[in-house]
Amino acid sequence: MATLKEKIGYALGDAAAGGITWKIMSIAFPVFFTSIFGLTVADTALLMLIARMFDVITDPLMGSLADRTQSRWGTYRPWLIYGAIPFGLIFALLLYTPDLGPVGKRIWAYTFYLLMMACYTAVNVPYGSLLGVMTDDDNEKNQFSSFRMVGAYAMGFITLLSFPYLQKMVGGTEQHQYAVLGVFFGAVAAAGTLACGLLTKERLKPVRAEKFSFKPFVDLFKNKPWIYLTLIGICTNFFNGFRYAVAAYMFDYILGKEITMGSFIINFTVFMTFGEVTCMIFGGLSPKFTLWMGSKRKAFMMAALICVVFSVLFFFMPKDASYIWALIAIVVLTSVGIGLYSPLLWSMYADVADYATQKNGTSSTGLIFSSGTMAQKFGTAISGSLVALLLGAAGFVSGTDPDTGQTIVTITDLEAVKSMIWSIFSIFPAIIAALIILLTVIYPIKK
């Protein structure tokens, strides 16, 4: 029986990865690279696409490597313990803007973004795989998944809510602010990752293959539950990725960079914070909701339906800052669905890993959970890349002046850009959520 301390320790792992590094990368990086760092829209889109091709190779290899790790710390925990400091350090370097021209900045961004993705993989794939070896009790797996999501969303809430206030506290240019906050949040992420590795326990021993082979990779594509769940995972991250990637642009070009109400600041990070705290609450309620619905599959479909309804409703709201509280209310209601299905996704990956072990006779837990991490990065980064391309097509142009090194942003068609931003935040996610429902209907495991 797992202790409360262990569940909190497990939650700290995704508080660090999902609540800090990935949250900032998802919501701030498209606008950071185009409007602060000084990459062109095309460079930003290409960077994210290249990183995803990189992940297609590194994530499964990391999963297979993690499955074969043997140490006094266990199979998966050593990756968290020894990967914590590089994880935080590279994140800090990624948010630093060097005093270089267009080519130098491009090299810096590509180098550290790819290194960050490699570090994220080395930490997060083993982290996800831990769920498969901490307990064999299905209800306890749901509890661990729920703690994980509460940890991620609670830290996401803290990160996004504090971000504009910390920027003002740091002062100076936005480039300086992001550099300082990169060091701060990188240190917190490293500490959370290390704590997770030290506080958790591996009670079950994976059934290891005697030697490395490509058979587990081949077996994946014969595993129908894995295929459907991977597609569902990609879609859930497309849903979140579109909304997070375009939120900053929505405030910059539609609602106003900041909306102040007394001493309270609402900017794009605070706006999304309302969703984070909702996800945290309903992530904690997800196990009870699942019991009430009768199965993970039914609960997942109902949660996705909530996302469809309120995403469509957002599209028909006026593009006006005076409606900010109504817009926030819709974000909160949409986040009810996200909060309910997020813990279920990782619990379902554990089901798929158990299914694979029973079918093939050896454990491929790390490999299967690596596909969850790959789906997370693929969905989020491709959606971010598509946001950059779609905004570019609508009339958004960015880059670095080769003479001064200053970031330049030009809007050739403001109304088209506004309409594209609004659609990316609402209609695009609604279509993705509808696809999630369809995929869940045909998902073979009926738990």
Side-chain angles (χ1 to χ4, degrees):
M1 178 71 70
T3 64
L4 177 62
K5 182 176 76 172
E6 187 177 1
K7 291 173 183 176
I8 292 172
Y10 187 66
L12 288 174
D14 213 20
I20 298 176
T21 59
W22 198 258
K23 197 65 64 180
I24 292 173
M25 290 170 70
S26 300
I27 195 167
F29 270 28
V31 75
F32 169 72
F33 280 133
T34 57
S35 301
I36 298 168
F37 189 89
L39 291 185
T40 65
V41 168
D43 274 334
T44 302
L46 183 61
L47 168 59
M48 293 182 174
L49 286 171
I50 290 174
R52 295 298 66 76
M53 298 306 103
F54 181 65
D55 290 336
V56 167
I57 298 170
T58 59
D59 282 40
L61 287 177
M62 184 64 235
S64 183
L65 179 61
D67 283 335
R68 287 163 176 76
T69 300
Q70 298 186 56
S71 78
R72 71 188 184 94
W73 298 104
T75 299
Y76 304 113
R77 291 167 63 223
W79 294 95
L80 296 166
I81 293 167
Y82 293 109
I85 291 175
F87 182 57
L89 178 62
I90 292 172
F91 179 73
L93 290 169
L94 184 55
L95 282 173
Y96 175 73
T97 302
D99 187 15
L100 301 170
V103 175
K105 282 187 175 181
R106 190 180 300 128
I107 292 170
W108 181 279
Y110 276 61
T111 299
F112 284 103
Y113 194 81
L114 291 175
L115 281 174
M116 184 62 203
M117 290 298 96
C119 270
Y120 191 91
T121 295
V123 166
N124 209 247
V125 168
Y127 169 72
S129 304
L130 261 178
L131 185 61
V133 295
M134 288 192 296
T135 180
D136 58 0
D137 181 81
D138 198 52
N139 184 53
E140 203 163 46
K141 285 178 183 177
N142 285 346
Q143 291 177 26
F144 270 113
S145 292
S146 182
F147 267 81
R148 172 182 183 166
M149 290 298 104
V150 170
Y153 285 123
M155 185 56 74
F157 166 74
I158 294 168
T159 300
L160 298 184
L161 183 63
S162 66
F163 205 90
Y165 297 96
L166 291 173
Q167 282 183 287
K168 289 187 179 298
M169 188 185 301
V170 170
T173 66
E174 284 191 295
Q175 291 180 347
H176 175 68
Q177 292 166 7
Y178 272 80
V180 173
L181 292 182
V183 173
F184 172 72
F185 282 114
V188 176
T193 302
L194 180 60
C196 177
L198 295 174
L199 293 174
T200 50
K201 294 180 181 180
E202 297 186 22
R203 292 178 175 80
L204 310 175
K205 290 189 178 295
V207 183
R208 305 178 194 277
E210 292 185 5
K211 60 182 181 179
F212 178 83
S213 77
F214 286 100
K215 184 177 183 297
F217 295 91
V218 175
D219 288 340
L220 274 184
F221 292 93
K222 297 177 183 178
N223 186 332
K224 287 185 178 180
W226 174 80
I227 292 171
Y228 286 117
L229 191 59
T230 298
L231 292 173
I232 291 168
I234 290 171
C235 287
T236 60
N237 286 288
F238 263 119
F239 182 89
N240 287 331
F242 277 125
R243 297 167 73 250
Y244 280 111
V246 83
Y249 295 100
M250 185 164 66
F251 270 77
D252 281 355
Y253 301 104
I254 300 176
L255 301 176
K257 200 170 185 68
E258 288 184 354
I259 301 169
T260 56
M261 298 180 177
S263 59
F264 186 58
I265 301 170
I266 301 178
N267 72 346
F268 72 99
T269 63
V270 176
F271 182 72
M272 298 305 288
T273 295
F274 288 94
E276 291 296 303
V277 72
T278 305
C279 287
M280 177 183 70
I281 293 167
F282 283 88
L285 294 173
S286 181
K288 290 185 178 180
F289 178 72
T290 302
L291 289 173
W292 180 61
M293 291 299 298
S295 72
K296 297 177 188 178
R297 186 165 157 270
K298 289 179 181 177
F300 211 103
M301 285 189 289
M302 181 58 67
L305 180 60
I306 292 171
C307 293
V308 172
V309 171
F310 290 105
S311 294
V312 171
L313 180 60
F314 192 97
F315 177 76
F316 292 102
M317 292 296 295
K319 302 182 185 70
D320 191 324
S322 64
Y323 287 83
I324 187 64
W325 290 113
L327 298 175
I328 287 172
I330 297 174
V331 166
V332 166
L333 292 168
T334 305
S335 298
V336 170
I338 300 170
L340 290 172
Y341 72 53
S342 293
L344 289 173
L345 184 66
W346 293 104
S347 181
M348 289 159 75
Y349 271 114
D351 295 338
V352 171
D354 291 343
Y355 170 87
T357 300
Q358 292 170 7
K359 183 178 179 182
N360 302 319
T362 58
S363 174
S364 55
T365 301
L367 183 59
I368 286 170
F369 273 92
S370 75
S371 63
T373 304
M374 186 176 68
Q376 179 187 38
K377 292 192 288 187
F378 186 88
T380 303
I382 294 296
S383 58
S385 179
L386 286 173
V387 165
L389 289 174
L390 289 167
L391 292 179
F396 184 95
V397 182
S398 68
T400 297
D401 188 309
D403 297 322
T404 65
Q406 297 298 308
T407 300
I408 302 170
V409 175
T410 305
I411 306 293
T412 60
D413 188 338
L414 183 57
E415 288 307 313
V417 168
K418 286 182 177 180
S419 295
M420 182 61 73
I421 288 169
W422 208 254
S423 297
I424 291 171
F425 195 86
S426 55
I427 292 298
F428 283 60
I431 294 169
I432 295 298
L435 182 57
I436 289 171
I437 295 172
L438 176 61
L439 288 168
T440 308
V441 167
I442 54 181
Y443 173 67
I445 296 178
K446 308 301 182 185
K447 281 188 179 181

